[in-house]
Amino acid sequence: MDARLEGVADAFEAQDFEAALASADALLRDVPDSPEALHYRAAALVEVGRLEDAGKAYGAALKMAPEDLEILFGAAEFLVCRTGEDREAVEEGLEWCGRGRKLAQKADDVELVYEFLLLEGMGLNQLGECESALKSLDQALTHMPRSPDAQLERGIALFELCRFAPAQESFERVLKDTPEEAWAHHYLGLIAERRKDAREAKKRFARAQVLAPEELPPPVALEEAAFDRAVEDAMRALPSQVKQYMDNVTLAVEDLPSDEDLLGQQPPLSPCILGVFRGTPVGERSVMDAADHFPPSIVLYQRNLERFARTREELIEQIGITVMHEVGHLMGLDEDDLWERGLD
């Protein structure tokens, strides 16, 4: 069996994932209780894009070997990094991270402790729990102080928390060791853009787009009239029972969110938010509260929306989704409610 398992490993290392999958399947027909073969099968399924099957394979491997650190890490990485924006999957991945980290600490495996902490930080950042992410990433850096991956993720957490000066320091530190890290250039562009340094922002964004054209394409730009039309269409598409509450709501378009908007709550809002609702939701207003006498407003952030989309059609669609999201806040829905409705 060892020779056959080595054959699976060799095919996987050679990035011949179809061959690795076929070899793993053949081995499992003869030795169905091999956790190593199941692990390779799961990893190969991820690489060929069969994600649902990969999840089942990782589940079977973990059931067979629940304390195998390599399988635990593979399953956690799959859930955190390969399942898109599936919040429940990321949360499950974080549970596996916690379990794996404790087992790695018990085994005195410093490298895997670091890997689990880094993955934990990435998952927490995805969930918007950036303060907790910082703690995991700072711990990761105590184990691997020169890690550009942990430093990059730490910079992202600081950026999302609107701590722009220390975030800039983190991204600059990344570039000292890995000058070709596209995301560090991109975030330095975002920071420069916020301080209105257009020249620096343009340079950073251009460099990031050259280094990672698929991940960081140029923004989709809409001329002002077309953007306004898309907003008007989104307003017309609102359900009739909602429109009755919109008469006294102002709707504006701004380039980027202000510090006042971002820091108006704790934790702060992400600098990359697509829109914001300002005011008190319907049903929560009080005649005794002076602030509630001011009309509520919805603001869309054009640069963030244009950067979020990949095509003109996707941008127009996202404008509609963002209007619905902020109207949801007007109606008193929180982020969990909006996520359940597909408006996150």
Side-chain angles (χ1 to χ4, degrees):
M1 184 182 109
D2 288 345
R4 294 174 69 184
L5 194 59
E6 285 178 12
V8 178
D10 290 343
F12 194 90
E13 290 296 320
Q15 299 188 10
D16 189 348
F17 302 118
E18 292 286 1
L21 180 57
S23 298
D25 283 339
L27 177 55
L28 285 165
R29 282 193 290 271
D30 295 335
V31 191
D33 59 348
S34 169
E36 297 89 352
L38 271 171
H39 185 192
Y40 273 115
R41 182 174 189 273
L45 284 165
V46 171
E47 298 298 338
V48 300
R50 292 169 54 185
L51 300 185
E52 186 175 347
D53 290 337
K56 292 176 182 176
Y58 272 122
L62 283 171
K63 188 174 182 180
M64 197 173 295
E67 296 193 357
D68 185 299
L69 284 169
E70 296 292 342
I71 296 174
L72 269 169
F73 182 77
E77 184 179 42
F78 164 69
L79 290 166
V80 170
C81 301
R82 301 297 191 111
T83 53
E85 297 180 359
D86 187 330
R87 186 180 184 88
E88 291 178 355
V90 174
E91 289 171 345
E92 184 181 354
L94 288 172
E95 290 179 16
W96 290 122
C97 277
R99 178 178 174 80
R101 175 167 46 80
K102 290 174 183 176
L103 288 169
Q105 287 170 335
K106 188 176 178 180
D108 200 24
D109 189 328
V110 174
E111 185 173 346
L112 267 176
V113 170
Y114 155 78
E115 294 287 357
F116 277 115
L117 284 166
L118 172 58
L119 190 59
E120 194 169 78
M122 293 169 66
L124 289 165
N125 267 346
Q126 285 188 55
L127 296 180
E129 298 175 19
C130 299
E131 285 285 6
S132 297
L134 269 181
K135 294 175 184 177
S136 296
L137 295 163
D138 284 341
Q139 288 183 57
L141 285 163
T142 63
H143 294 287
M144 299 283 180
R146 296 291 299 272
S147 165
D149 292 330
Q151 194 65 248
L152 176 68
E153 204 65 34
R154 181 177 185 275
I156 292 171
L158 289 165
F159 176 84
E160 291 294 321
L161 291 165
C162 302
R163 300 175 194 171
F164 300 117
Q168 180 169 336
E169 290 175 9
S170 282
F171 295 128
E172 288 173 345
R173 200 169 297 144
V174 170
L175 292 177
K176 284 182 180 178
D177 290 329
T178 52
E180 304 280 276
E181 175 48 66
W183 284 98
H185 285 287
H186 177 74
Y187 275 98
L188 286 171
L190 293 176
I191 293 169
E193 184 178 58
R194 288 198 61 80
R195 67 171 184 268
K196 296 182 170 55
D197 187 343
R199 183 177 178 181
E200 175 70 6
K202 183 178 179 181
K203 181 184 80 171
R204 292 294 185 181
F205 289 142
R207 185 64 183 144
Q209 289 158 16
V210 167
L211 291 169
E214 294 296 320
E215 294 178 271
L216 296 167
V220 178
L222 271 186
E223 57 277 12
E224 183 178 348
F227 198 97
D228 289 344
R229 276 197 306 275
V231 174
E232 291 167 5
D233 289 343
M235 293 293 288
R236 279 194 291 270
L238 291 172
S240 57
Q241 64 267 31
V242 172
K243 287 181 181 177
Q244 62 180 312
Y245 298 106
M246 297 300 295
D247 292 340
N248 205 33
V249 177
T250 61
L251 197 151
V253 176
E254 298 176 7
D255 279 345
L256 294 168
S258 67
D259 287 350
E260 182 182 6
D261 279 335
L262 297 179
L263 300 172
Q265 62 183 62
Q266 288 299 323
L269 297 174
S270 165
C272 297
I273 55 170
L274 306 182
V276 72
F277 168 69
R278 300 170 178 161
T280 306
V282 172
E284 296 181 21
R285 296 174 192 164
S286 168
V287 294
M288 305 300 292
D289 191 335
D292 288 351
H293 292 281
F294 292 97
S297 63
I298 290 171
V299 183
L300 305 183
Y301 298 113
Q302 185 164 351
R303 288 191 190 177
N304 285 350
L305 279 159
E306 290 176 339
R307 198 170 282 126
F308 179 88
R310 294 299 183 99
T311 65
R312 183 185 178 93
E313 294 72 24
E314 185 179 337
L315 173 55
I316 291 171
E317 179 184 11
Q318 188 58 50
I319 290 170
I321 292 170
T322 304
V323 168
M324 283 294 297
H325 181 104
E326 302 310 331
V327 169
H329 286 312
L330 167 70
M331 304 305 297
L333 301 178
D334 62 19
E335 293 297 333
D336 288 338
D337 295 326
L338 292 165
W339 175 70
E340 289 175 2
R341 289 165 169 78
L343 294 171
D344 53 326

